[in-house]
Amino acid sequence: MNGETIVVGGGVIGLTSAVVLAEAGHRIRLWSPGEPGATTSAVAGGLWWPYRIEPEERVGAWALRSLEVYAGLLDRPEETGARLVSGVHAATPLDGLGAWAAEVDGLRAATEAEYTPGDGLWARLPVLDMPAHLTWLLGRLEAAGGRVERRTVTSLAEAAEGARAVVNCTGLGAAHLVPDAGMRPVRGQLVVVENPGVDTWFTHTGTGSESTYFIPQPGRLLLGGTAEAGADSLEPDPVTAREIVARCAGLRPEIAGARVLGHRVGLRPERAGGVRLEREELPGGGVLVHNYGHGGAGVTVAWGCADEVAALLDA
């Protein structure tokens, strides 16, 4: 065993944790089976918002810390992927949110002009262009001396054999690597179209597996979506894709004629009981820190969780 720390998992949670640790002086190796662009994080819409994540009493602090970090990246959007964009969360009353909402500048009830059908929240929030942001995180990690190794992990013990500490950021992989029977995929399907001039985002999560949202990204518009608990197919369904476009076009008619650029499917790593973020002592004096189960809000809490990982390692 050497003095290195191995971070297992190359999505936004793993990369952000690795960056925080490397910049704090840890010698970091990050193990990922592929490029960051091949992870579930790359498929994400990138809107900062605590969506499908628990436990509620911890999420607020993690999310606000991440919001603080993203605010510092907005002056370099081409490099960091972070932009500030206005939009509306439909059917979301302000008094139904946690205490964290009072700390979000400008969060307020939507006016009739902004959202006619009923309760809605207007906000100006960070939106991350995920492919660009993941590439930026990778560069920041390497600049801090971290090394990335393309490696498929078959057990966490494999990582623990060669390092002082291991950070488990494996998302859905934790189901068999821990193992954790509480993990389940929540399938999300998106349609990517040419942006016909939409410069605001919109979300309506609904109560079933269907949701409606559109998020402007550089050179494209992301349309969604679905939240199919337990479904694990990565193949886009053409019927679902047509329904997604139709729902979004019902709100913004210009979307109906937008040229389709592609289809995406991602599996959100949801966990019964919420995020697992805790330290485990290993035989022989090693340390294992778990950081997985972030559901649909990995981008939203990544920096807050990474700070806690660092604190747990240094405890």
Side-chain angles (χ1 to χ4, degrees), residues 125-292:
L125 300 174
V127 173
L128 281 295
D129 177 1
M130 290 310 296
H133 186 64
L134 293 169
T135 298
W136 174 78
L137 282 172
L138 184 59
R140 185 163 164 175
L141 172 61
E142 292 173 340
R147 292 186 293 140
V148 178
E149 299 177 3
R150 305 293 172 231
R151 184 162 178 166
T152 299
V153 180
T154 57
S155 74
L156 294 175
E158 175 186 348
E161 287 174 0
R164 173 190 66 86
V166 176
V167 182
N168 171 23
C169 302
T170 56
L172 283 173
H176 66 271
L177 288 172
V178 173
D180 189 332
M183 291 298 301
R184 68 170 182 175
V186 178
R187 183 179 182 275
Q189 180 168 332
L190 297 85
V191 181
V192 185
V193 300
E194 284 186 344
N195 193 335
V198 177
D199 60 3
T200 59
W201 50 264
F202 175 89
T203 75
H204 191 303
T205 56
T207 56
S209 63
E210 291 184 355
S211 57
T212 302
Y213 61 85
F214 46 81
I215 301 174
Q217 293 283 10
R220 62 199 187 280
L221 184 67
L222 305 185
L223 311 179
T226 64
E228 304 164 76
D232 60 4
S233 172
L234 290 172
E235 288 298 316
D237 178 70
V239 174
T240 299
R242 289 194 294 271
E243 292 172 346
I244 288 171
V245 173
R247 290 199 300 272
C248 292
L251 294 163
R252 295 292 296 262
E254 61 268 44
I255 290 174
R259 184 167 71 93
V260 174
L261 301 177
H263 301 270
R264 297 180 181 175
V265 176
L267 304 179
R268 303 176 182 95
E270 196 166 82
R271 179 176 181 266
V275 176
R276 185 180 185 192
L277 184 42
E278 62 184 12
R279 174 183 170 123
E280 180 181 343
E281 305 295 333
L282 298 176
V287 174
L288 171 61
V289 174
H290 296 286
N291 184 18
Y292 67 88

Side-chain angles (χ1 to χ4, degrees), residues 62-82:
W62 296 334
L64 290 173
R65 169 57 182 152
S66 301
L67 183 63
E68 178 185 20
V69 173
Y70 295 139
L73 306 180
L74 297 171
D75 60 344
R76 295 167 289 148
E78 294 81 8
E79 178 186 352
T80 67

